[in-house]
């Protein structure tokens, strides 16, 4: 019986040792996965911040170009007849207000997650494209 108890005891100790080694390997793997996930999250946050910053810079350039177009257009219409000039000035003022509103909307945007940023960016880009078309249409109307 002592031999059987000894063998049984050794078998139990061996199983526990193997189990502990297996558990420590699983723990190490889990810890590595957590570190990897944390690093991926940090990188995603950096990418998100960079995307926001780049988009804001690009859009600020477009808004400034729109402002310059307004100034240039005002110079071009200075010699128009009073009625035609008043019509153009009304259109210019409307576009100027829209341009200012877009700048304000972009400046006031607060980071609120990537999904909301993507939705904001899509809508904002659409509005900026429409504004750009309105600026081009104003120029085309002036040359006819």
């Amino acid at each position: 019986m002592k031999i059987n108890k000894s063998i049984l005891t050794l078998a139990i100790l061996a199983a526990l040792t193997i189990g502990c080694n297996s558990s420590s390997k699983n723990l190490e793997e889990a810890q590595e996965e957590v570190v990897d996930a944390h690093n991926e999250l940090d990188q995603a946050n950096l990418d998100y911040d960079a995307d926001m910053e780049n988009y804001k810079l690009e859009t600020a350039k477009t808004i400034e170009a729109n402002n310059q177009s307004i100034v240039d257009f005002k110079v071009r219409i200075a010699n128009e007849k009073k009625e035609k000039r008043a019509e153009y000035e009304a259109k210019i003022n409307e576009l100027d207000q829209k341009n200012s509103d877009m700048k304000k909307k972009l400046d006031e945007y607060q980071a609120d997650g990537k999904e909301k940023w993507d939705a904001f960016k899509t809508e904002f880009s659409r509005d900026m494209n429409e504004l750009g078309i309105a600026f081009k249409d104003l120029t085309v109307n002036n040359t006819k």
Side-chain angles (χ1 to χ4, degrees):
M1 279 280 192
K2 283 194 171 198
I3 296 177
N4 288 339
K5 283 185 179 179
S6 295
I7 291 175
L8 182 61
T9 304
L10 284 175
I12 291 173
L13 285 174
L16 288 175
T17 303
I18 290 171
C20 288
N21 286 339
S22 176
S23 293
S24 72
K25 285 182 184 178
N26 287 338
L27 180 59
E28 288 174 14
E29 289 173 4
Q31 287 173 335
E32 287 177 20
E33 289 175 6
V34 168
V35 168
D36 290 344
H38 189 272
N39 289 339
E40 289 174 12
L41 178 61
D42 287 345
Q43 186 59 48
N45 284 333
L46 290 173
D47 293 344
Y48 167 65
D49 290 342
D51 181 43
M52 281 182 59
E53 189 63 31
N54 288 335
Y55 185 78
K56 285 182 175 187
L57 289 172
E58 289 173 18
T59 304
K61 289 178 186 176
T62 302
I63 289 171
E64 186 54 39
N66 290 347
N67 286 334
Q68 187 59 49
S69 294
I70 290 169
V71 169
D72 294 345
F73 196 75
K74 283 181 178 181
V75 168
R76 283 191 296 203
I77 66 166
N79 295 327
E80 292 285 334
K81 292 181 183 176
K82 188 175 183 178
E83 295 121 16
K84 194 67 170 171
R85 189 174 61 234
E87 180 184 325
Y88 283 135
E89 286 175 351
K91 290 179 182 179
I92 289 170
N93 290 337
E94 180 182 341
L95 291 176
D96 188 27
Q97 183 61 47
K98 286 181 182 179
N99 200 48
S100 295
D101 291 345
M102 294 297 289
K103 181 179 182 337
K104 182 178 178 183
K105 184 177 180 179
L106 184 63
D107 290 343
E108 291 178 352
Y109 180 80
Q110 297 295 317
D112 195 22
K114 182 164 176 31
E115 290 173 5
K116 287 185 179 180
W117 166 247
D118 288 340
F120 172 84
K121 189 167 69 167
T122 299
E123 179 184 340
F124 193 87
S125 293
R126 185 194 70 234
D127 292 346
M128 284 299 294
N129 287 336
E130 289 174 3
L131 185 59
I133 290 169
F135 270 100
K136 287 178 185 173
D137 288 347
L138 182 65
T139 304
V140 170
N141 288 339
N142 187 38
T143 59
K144 287 185 178 179

